[in-house]
């Protein structure tokens, strides 16, 4: 085990609630001053600087000099991915079914320090999460494109046909070693979003269609005006679309 990565230092840095609050505030990839981060975390400026110094020394943050001002941002996209994975793991490791997990973790679900753009739509591994993703997951269930059996998510015959009409072929996705579909715990919602190779394929479809876009180092996904409309309709049953 001599080559195993040492994660204890990073775990110690993220274990402090004030430091984790400042990390949440930087999850959208935007650089922020220490004064703003202190306000978000409920710290005095001097205490915030001390915590930020530890996060910087630990390699989790980088500093940008803009004149006389110093701005902090996540050191790399992988840092944001790691923080989000820890939040999701907190939900997934809780005992009971997924509905009970989200009910018991309402405090985590609020995540008041996280930027609103990150809560709406963001990268979650190779798929997308946030409010829009959770809404989409529910519409796919309601319209019968997917169904939930215990903890398994299955694509129905109807869903496979509908997805194929959009250029997403479930049979091809099934050849991957990863699950085709799963309910991925969402740290900002009380509901799951769609993971697996299908979730990744839908993210690529939405980006290629110009509905979502990735910007810089941010994990937040930008939603275009067309995307707002199309994502709201995607997966709805035909009778529901006619009623709009």
């Amino acid at each position: 085990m001599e080559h195993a990565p040492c994660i204890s230092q990073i775990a110690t840095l993220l274990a402090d609630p004030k430091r984790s609050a400042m990390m949440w505030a930087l999850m959208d990839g935007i650089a922020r001053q220490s004064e703003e981060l202190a306000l978000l975390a409920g710290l005095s400026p001097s205490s915030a600087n001390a915590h930020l110094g530890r996060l910087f020394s630990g390699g989790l943050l980088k500093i940008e000099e803009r004149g006389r001002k110093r701005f902090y941002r996540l050191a790399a996209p992988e840092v944001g991915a790691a923080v989000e994975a820890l939040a999701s793991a907190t939900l997934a490791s809780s005992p009971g079914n997924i509905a009970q997990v989200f009910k018991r973790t309402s405090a985590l679900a609020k995540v008041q320090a996280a930027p609103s753009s990150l809560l709406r739509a963001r990268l979650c591994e190779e798929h997308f999460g946030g409010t829009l993703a959770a809404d989409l997951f529910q519409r796919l269930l309601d319209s019968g494109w997917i169904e939930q059996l215990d903890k398994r998510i299955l694509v129905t015959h109807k869903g496979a046909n509908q997805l194929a009409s959009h250029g997403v072929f479930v049979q091809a996705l099934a050849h991957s070693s990863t699950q085709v579909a799963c309910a991925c715990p969402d740290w900002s919602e009380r509901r799951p979003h769609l993971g697996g190779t299908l979730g990744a394929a839908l993210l690529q479809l939405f980006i290629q269609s110009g509905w979502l876009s990735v910007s810089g180092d941010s994990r937040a996904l930008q939603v275009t005006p067309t995307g707002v409309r199309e994502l709201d309709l995607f997966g709805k049953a035909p009778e529901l679309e006619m009623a709009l």
Side-chain angles (χ1 to χ4, degrees):
M1 298 296 291
E2 58 180 304
H3 300 297
C6 180
I7 63 173
S8 59
Q9 180 183 3
I10 293 177
T12 300
L13 289 171
L14 296 177
D16 183 273
K18 298 299 184 181
R19 288 196 289 271
S20 62
M22 290 191 285
M23 293 294 288
W24 280 127
L26 295 170
M27 287 278 283
D28 61 353
I30 296 175
R32 289 181 164 82
Q33 289 182 266
S34 60
E35 292 84 354
E36 181 181 357
L37 294 170
L39 183 63
L40 289 169
L43 290 167
S44 66
S46 59
S47 294
N49 284 329
H51 284 297
L52 290 168
R54 290 193 62 182
L55 292 168
F56 173 73
S57 298
L60 299 183
L61 297 180
K62 60 184 178 181
I63 298 174
E64 295 180 0
E65 302 282 353
R66 301 180 187 177
R68 296 182 179 181
K69 297 181 178 180
R70 306 179 88 191
F71 288 76
Y72 294 85
R73 68 164 69 244
L74 298 183
E78 290 79 7
V79 174
V83 173
E84 184 166 354
L86 286 172
S88 295
T90 301
L91 299 180
S93 62
S94 299
N97 62 44
I98 198 163
Q100 293 172 331
V101 169
F102 286 115
K103 184 177 181 180
R104 285 198 297 269
T105 53
S106 58
L108 176 61
K110 294 178 181 177
V111 196
Q112 68 268 20
S116 59
S117 60
L118 202 68
L119 300 180
R120 188 184 190 194
R122 64 181 178 277
L123 292 173
C124 178
E125 298 182 2
E126 296 183 346
H127 51 277
F128 87 109
T131 303
L132 292 180
D135 289 345
L136 175 61
F137 182 87
Q138 189 59 53
R139 283 199 300 277
L140 295 177
L141 279 174
D142 293 342
S143 298
W145 290 31
I146 60 175
E147 60 182 9
Q148 187 166 7
L149 298 176
D150 295 325
K151 295 183 179 181
R152 298 176 60 204
I153 301 297
L154 303 176
V155 181
T156 64
H157 180 70
K158 173 185 177 181
N161 288 336
Q162 293 290 342
L163 288 165
S165 70
H166 291 280
V168 178
F169 300 97
V170 174
Q171 188 173 4
L173 299 178
H175 292 298
S176 170
S177 59
T178 307
Q179 285 180 291
V180 172
C182 63
C184 182
D186 195 305
W187 54 259
S188 66
E189 294 285 321
R190 296 190 184 188
R191 306 165 293 156
H193 59 254
L194 185 66
T197 54
L198 177 55
L202 290 181
L203 173 61
Q204 292 304 311
L205 171 65
F206 299 157
I207 291 176
Q208 292 169 5
S209 300
W211 302 354
L212 299 174
S213 63
V214 183
S215 58
D217 292 335
S218 175
R219 295 183 61 74
L221 291 166
Q222 304 301 313
V223 187
T224 66
T226 302
V228 172
R229 180 180 66 255
E230 297 297 336
L231 284 171
D232 186 55
L233 293 174
F234 194 90
K236 283 189 176 180
E239 61 268 19
L240 295 179
E241 293 181 16
M242 292 175 61
L244 292 176

